[in-house]
Amino acid sequence: MASATSCYSALAPFATTATPEDPYVYQVGFGNRFATEALPGTLPNARNTPQKCKYDLYSEQLNGSPFISTRAALQHAWFYRIRPSVAINGITKMIDDHDVTANFSLSNPKVQFMPTQFAWDPFPIPSSSEKVDFVDGLKTIGGQGDPTLREGIAVHMYMANTSMANRAFCNNDGDMLILPQQGRLDIQTEFGRMMVRPGELVVIQAGIRFKVVLPDGPVRGYIQEVFGSHYELPELGPVGSNGMALPRDFEIPVAAFDIDSSPWEVIYKMCGVLYRCTQNHTPFDVVAWHGTYAPYKYAIEKFVTYGNLDKDQADPTISCILLAKSKVPGINISEFLAFTPKWCVTSNTFRPPYYHRNMASEVMGLIYGKYGGSSHVLEAGGLSYEASFMPHGETYETFVDASNAELAPLRVCEGTIAFMFHIGVQFSLTEYALERSGALHLSPTDQWDNVKAGFLDHIDEINKDLIAAGLPVLHSAPRNTPATPEPVASRPAAPNSSLPVPREHLEKTCPTEALVGTASSPESGVSAPWEIVPDVKTVGGKED
């Protein structure tokens, strides 16, 4: 008698499950080719542009890369929609009364490259007396490059208190990586719907129309926009097949459409300028789509963290989730790094972030929790900026504590998600960020006055070691009193009418004229406190 057998098969490809916090379902996988239809049988078979689409739909292609691209770089999507996107009533330029820009050249008087560090308190959310939606609440903090060159980057904040109704936004300049910090974003795109909460990121590529609804009320968050490049996962190298951000954890919307013939407004951003058009139907009427060019979201808490297990520190890029490449081989325009809970177990190691001068520009933010790692306070909803090659690091108090602490396994970043835009180019700051944000705070000018040169407490010990090694000893050099420098405030400021930073602020952080008579200048007649005297001879352990 033949044995009974059973065979069970999946009824459909895997999709996520809706939850009370996120009512939508998603396809999964980073960089996959997807196919999804809201009405069965809508996608054409074995062709993209049939003579007649099912239900008299229109076929339309969206290209996110040149036609002549390698297969690995090719990104596009095919839509099957109720009306084609071209059915609009004309485009007009909007009044330039916003704080969005995409021109970060030296010729733009409204941006400034500054070799210093800045920090911003949480950016203020609009008051209830004014209605500000996602588009109206965009504020550019800084950037580099230009979308006309198809290379560069911009960092924005968004603060809003009103949902977009019959209004959509389309950014033609670059791909936007959006990080909600307060409040969820209910995002409707041509590809479908996504609910994105604080702790998740969402990427919406250039040329995709979307609208933002605020289910939790007022919102605030961060945006990194890249021109001419797309976000991709970093190579794993010796990590192997698994780890960091797992491709299967990226979620892509499924097709969803509206039937709506009411008036709509679509706002386009091109080269930092806003344009508007009207149309008598919704832009969200895609019944089915397939392709590789689609928005996605990712829960940062899912990131598989790494760290050194025995000694020393790993560089922060070990926490890279996504990167965008530049035109220079081997150099990225930016890496998106996330700092999430993990164990720190190294021995005989200075565990806080080391003192650093980095060729990259560092822009940091905090989604929630508490984060140190710097000499200035970083709060959720705020930002910090460290200029390329400029020194930065922990406070002296933290240095002393960490240098003397008893090292034991320690859980760090508990209940915290902080992030860094690790930007591989010089980064300019906008007039809004430096003058009008109402959130800029400057580090105290005397912040480092208490730094002690502990080396000088060991001169006797050092000399004993030098004598034992038969080497010259250190001698105290003459200490001349330098001329009293003229106060900065009493000297005329260098003319610069286009400088966006208020003069009184700038002089506290980056004086336009060097102080005279400092100990490092040859004219001051002051040498270092200690110097090696090479003509001292030692014989038998004694000075000759």
Side-chain angles (χ1 to χ4, degrees), residues 231-244:
Y231 290 104
E232 55 187 88
L233 293 173
E235 297 295 339
L236 291 172
V239 170
S241 304
N242 308 287
M244 303 182 78

Side-chain angles (χ1 to χ4, degrees), residues 97-120:
D97 61 351
H98 53 80
D99 289 307
V100 177
T101 187
N103 178 7
F104 302 103
S105 71
L106 291 171
S107 62
N108 183 358
K110 295 185 177 181
V111 300
Q112 187 72 26
F113 291 88
M114 301 186 68
T116 186
Q117 63 177 206
F118 286 106
W120 291 264

